[in-house]
């Protein structure tokens, strides 16, 4: 775990400039680096395609190490538009001794889920709350806010 934690930290990621005093705690680009020939300033469309294909989302933002024990590292972070399912699947083939888990809630679509990856096998469970939200709107019931979850 210490080796993973050390590799995961650092910057810059996704073309952002790292601040020396506050390096990223969870840097997708350090865990699964993007090709150097796809630097953001050179070919943004190809870089975005690579990121979606290999990470499944944009890089982690506002990441923090929420919990650390002798056997567990728990990170909390935001990603744009979708969870990093492809990233955890790829990482699980590289770090076969580790189990990777993601819990997510996509605010703009009201979709929630969990995913687990180990040795390249991804198990993903997704719940779509948008139908319940739509029904609540039509029936005049109280519509839940994101704070209700």
């Amino acid at each position: 775990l210490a080796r993973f934690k050390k590799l995961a930290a650092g910057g810059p990621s996704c073309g952002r400039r790292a601040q020396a005093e506050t390096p990223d705690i969870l840097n997708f680009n350090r865990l699964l680096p993007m090709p150097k020939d796809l630097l953001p300033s050179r070919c943004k469309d190809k870089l975005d395609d690579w990121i979606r294909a290999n990470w499944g989302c944009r890089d982690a933002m506002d990441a923090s190490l929420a919990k650390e024990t002798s056997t567990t590292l728990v990170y909390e972070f935001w990603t744009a538009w979708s969870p990093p399912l492809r990233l955890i699947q790829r990482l699980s083939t590289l770090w076969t001794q580790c189990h990777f888990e993601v819990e997510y809630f996509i605010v703009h679509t009201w979709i929630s889920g969990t995913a687990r990856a180990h040795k390249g096998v991804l198990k993903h469970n997704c719940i779509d709350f948008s139908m319940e939200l739509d029904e609540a709107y039509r029936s005049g019931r109280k519509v839940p806010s994101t704070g209700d979850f």
Side-chain angles (χ1 to χ4, degrees), residues 49-64:
D49 291 345
W50 186 92
I51 288 171
R52 279 191 295 275
N54 290 277
W55 296 346
C57 65
R58 297 298 295 177
D59 200 11
M61 297 175 280
D62 300 325
S64 64

Side-chain angles (χ1 to χ4, degrees), residues 118-135:
H118 182 63
K119 294 184 178 179
V121 177
L122 179 71
K123 296 182 180 178
H124 180 212
N125 297 306
C126 180
I127 302 167
D128 185 345
F129 291 102
S130 62
M131 296 295 282
E132 291 177 32
L133 182 63
D134 189 47
E135 176 59 33

